[in-house]
Amino acid sequence: MGAFDILVALVLGIVEGITEWLPVSSTGHMILVNQFMSFSDEEFQSMFLVVVQLGAIMAVVILFWSKLWPFRFVKRARGESIIKGDVFLLWVKIAIASVPAAIVGFTIDDMIDELFYNAFVVAGALIIYGILFIIVEIWNKGRNPVMKTVADIGFSSAIIIGIFQVLAAVVPGTSRSGATIIGALLLGVARSAAAEFTFYLAIPVMFGASLLKVVKHGLHFDMMGYITLGVGMVVAFVVSLFVIKFLMGYIRKHDFKAFGVYRIILGIAVLLYFFLTGAAVA
């Protein structure tokens, strides 16, 4: 591995940091980027595309630390529990919502990659879910959300949102954040709460996916490989900090229809590129 691999890691880190949190499908963008630049080691690339997500996850942990840390060590009132009950309950909901994706990831992950990881499936998912975003937002217009905060999301709603997350695990190009946000909106969750809960769900799901990839492929590469991976993760982390803040600010005044339109345009672009060039997804 050499200097060009560092450049690839830099670009992919930027793409990961942007597209992991916006409901536009990181897979679709990674496929396009991969057509123009890729790592010299194919096995390293397979591992990198999953493990680089850890950098993006850390942005969520840092930005929402006060809402996610379940222990109280300072300024504890007399007789008050060391565990924050509301935060502990939130983690129970996150765990419940993560179960469907975990089952899929541990059982049929390789089968999914073999059957569905191709440009036409990804493009189709981009377009279909782009249309769904527009339809759901039109249907949702004028409706008052039933669940205005993450705390309002109940256990049954959490598991339903988790089932929507499985759609992204099964069909590349769906977008994990896109699928969960659509599911949450249909249940009557406010946009900001839907996006925030989606961020939280990413923590166990993406940690698990990264661990699974490392177990399967290992970390058997030289020092340059570790440096390359580190560059990608750091870049993904920094970019994610800005993108998450942007999205939370954006949805306070806007809906998700613009992302739906973008997905449709990107899906058509992916189809045209692979149809005209005859290229294949590696």
Side-chain angles (χ1 to χ4, degrees):
M1 305 192 75
F4 182 75
D5 292 299
I6 297 290
L7 176 61
V8 175
L10 177 65
V11 173
L12 291 180
I14 293 172
V15 173
E16 167 63 23
I18 295 174
T19 61
E20 187 60 52
W21 308 115
L22 302 183
V24 295
S25 174
S26 58
T27 303
H29 289 79
M30 291 293 192
I31 283 177
L32 283 179
V33 173
N34 189 46
Q35 297 306 306
F36 301 99
M37 58 191 320
S38 59
F39 293 108
S40 55
D41 186 329
E42 187 174 327
E43 185 173 348
F44 176 85
Q45 172 149 317
S46 176
M47 179 277 302
F48 178 93
L49 293 179
V50 176
V51 179
V52 70
Q53 297 173 340
L54 292 177
I57 291 173
M58 288 309 299
V60 175
V61 174
I62 295 299
L63 290 174
F64 296 96
W65 178 260
S66 62
K67 295 183 178 182
L68 292 172
W69 183 247
F71 302 108
R72 185 185 290 107
F73 292 129
V74 294
K75 296 182 180 178
R76 184 159 59 95
R78 189 169 184 176
E80 190 176 35
S81 171
I82 196 173
I83 297 176
K84 301 175 185 176
D86 56 337
V87 180
F88 178 78
L89 194 61
L90 170 62
W91 276 108
V92 173
K93 294 174 185 177
I94 293 171
I96 290 173
S98 301
V99 169
I103 293 173
V104 172
F106 279 105
T107 55
I108 58 173
D109 181 59
D110 291 334
M111 185 189 304
I112 289 170
D113 283 347
E114 184 178 343
L115 292 176
F116 300 119
Y117 196 83
N118 63 74
F120 301 104
V121 170
V122 171
L126 282 167
I127 294 169
I128 291 171
Y129 280 89
I131 294 171
L132 280 176
F133 256 119
I134 296 172
I135 293 174
V136 169
E137 283 291 16
I138 292 174
W139 171 81
N140 207 32
K141 188 176 182 179
R143 293 175 180 268
N144 292 319
V146 178
M147 293 165 269
K148 296 183 180 180
T149 67
V150 170
D152 295 331
I153 299 174
F155 292 106
S156 58
S157 296
I159 192 67
I160 292 172
I161 294 172
I163 292 171
F164 270 88
Q165 184 172 234
V166 171
L167 297 174
V170 173
V171 183
T174 297
S175 169
R176 190 197 59 78
S177 61
T180 52
I181 287 172
I182 285 178
L185 292 177
L186 289 173
L187 290 172
V189 181
R191 291 188 189 93
S192 58
E196 188 175 330
F197 192 64
T198 294
F199 298 154
Y200 298 162
L201 278 184
I203 297 173
V205 170
M206 291 162 67
F207 262 117
S210 298
L211 179 61
L212 185 62
K213 186 66 70 173
V214 169
V215 169
K216 286 182 177 179
H217 296 277
L219 295 173
H220 309 300
F221 37 83
D222 57 19
M223 182 56 68
M224 183 58 74
Y226 285 102
I227 293 173
T228 303
L229 180 59
V231 168
M233 292 175 64
V234 170
V235 171
F237 167 74
V238 173
V239 174
S240 292
L241 290 174
F242 291 99
V243 172
I244 291 171
K245 289 182 179 180
F246 160 76
L247 182 61
M248 295 304 291
Y250 177 86
I251 59 180
R252 290 190 183 100
K253 299 179 180 179
H254 306 86
D255 59 26
F256 288 102
K257 287 201 290 288
F259 295 110
V261 173
Y262 176 82
R263 288 179 63 99
I264 294 170
I265 294 172
L266 178 63
I268 293 172
V270 171
L271 279 177
L272 287 176
Y273 174 80
F274 285 96
F275 178 76
L276 293 175
T277 63
V281 177

